[in-house]
Amino acid sequence: MSTSRTTQRSTWRVVDIVIASVIAVASGVVFWAWSASYGLFSLAFTAFPPGTALLTGLWLFPAVLGALIIRKPGAALFCEVLAAVVEALLGTHWGMPVLISGLVQGLGAELVFALFRYRNWNLPVALLAGLGSGLFAGLSEAYVVGSVAEYTEAMKLFHVGATAFSGLVVAGLLSWWITRALARTGALSNLASRRAHLEPAFAVRK
């Protein structure tokens, strides 16, 4: 019986694939719009460029939101990567490297949900997933792909920390709140997250 329940929780249904795809495509459009306006908002950080990392959260939220709504293994990675693909297809000045970014950011969130065996979808786990996505993104940009290669070591560390914080707040907290709000309207009635608005914020399932 326990094995059967575990399999059921892990198996993707058609409705899961459809909703995850809708989340990802809509997020990809948001990505594209945010990329187009990023230059304007980044002007606020002209005096200290690493501060722009605080704006990164809007590129991280599909991973956490998708996982919280679909509640299946792979949902975070699927939504983040597909959103990046949509952004790339729509055209972005970041170019094709956004696909690598999507993979890294989605993996950061996915590993957190996997750590909790895809059983806990509470606020602390959502925050950790957002933090993980931001941490992976920041480390990748600072030390792997070198998109902030001109920064000093201290600036790189600030960039990583600020990206992780942005992920925690925007991707983590905001996605958790949106999931509960959607569940309250009945929009998630066919999904495992349909009762998310009734779940205690700090509930833990063993």
Side-chain angles (χ1 to χ4, degrees):
M1 184 68 74
S2 177
T3 302
S4 177
R5 277 201 215 99
T6 301
T7 301
Q8 188 176 19
R9 284 200 308 268
S10 302
T11 302
W12 283 62
R13 302 166 301 158
V14 173
V15 66
D16 297 323
I17 297 172
V18 171
I19 297 301
S21 299
V22 170
I23 293 171
V25 171
S27 299
V29 175
V30 172
F31 282 5
W32 173 80
W34 184 232
S35 294
S37 58
Y38 177 79
L40 179 63
F41 286 96
S42 65
L43 291 175
F45 301 95
T46 302
F48 187 61
T52 57
L54 294 170
L55 304 175
T56 306
L58 274 177
W59 280 296
L60 308 176
F61 78 91
V64 183
L65 181 62
L68 291 177
I69 289 178
I70 305 302
R71 300 192 174 187
K72 304 285 186 181
L77 195 58
F78 176 87
C79 289
E80 190 70 31
V81 171
L82 183 54
V85 170
V86 172
E87 181 187 9
L89 291 176
L90 289 175
T92 171
H93 64 277
W94 304 111
M96 296 308 290
V98 297
L99 301 180
I100 297 175
S101 296
L103 179 63
V104 171
Q105 294 157 8
L107 186 60
E110 189 72 44
L111 289 176
V112 172
F113 290 115
L115 182 64
F116 289 90
R117 298 185 299 166
Y118 301 102
R119 292 177 59 85
N120 288 292
W121 310 97
N122 56 27
L123 178 57
V125 173
L127 293 176
L128 283 174
L131 182 70
S133 182
L135 186 61
F136 270 48
L139 289 171
S140 174
E141 291 167 355
Y143 299 106
V144 181
V145 299
S147 57
V148 293
E150 72 278 10
Y151 287 178
T152 64
E153 186 61 27
M155 292 168 74
K156 288 180 180 179
L157 290 174
F158 180 90
H159 176 86
V160 173
T163 304
F165 176 76
S166 184
L168 183 147
V169 174
V170 180
L173 179 60
L174 186 60
S175 294
W176 179 81
W177 181 84
I178 290 174
T179 301
R180 289 172 70 91
L182 287 173
R184 193 173 291 112
T185 68
L188 309 181
S189 59
N190 293 320
L191 300 170
S193 55
R194 59 187 173 274
R195 296 174 60 84
H197 60 301
L198 301 176
E199 297 171 349
F202 300 95
V204 176
R205 294 183 61 186
K206 296 181 179 180

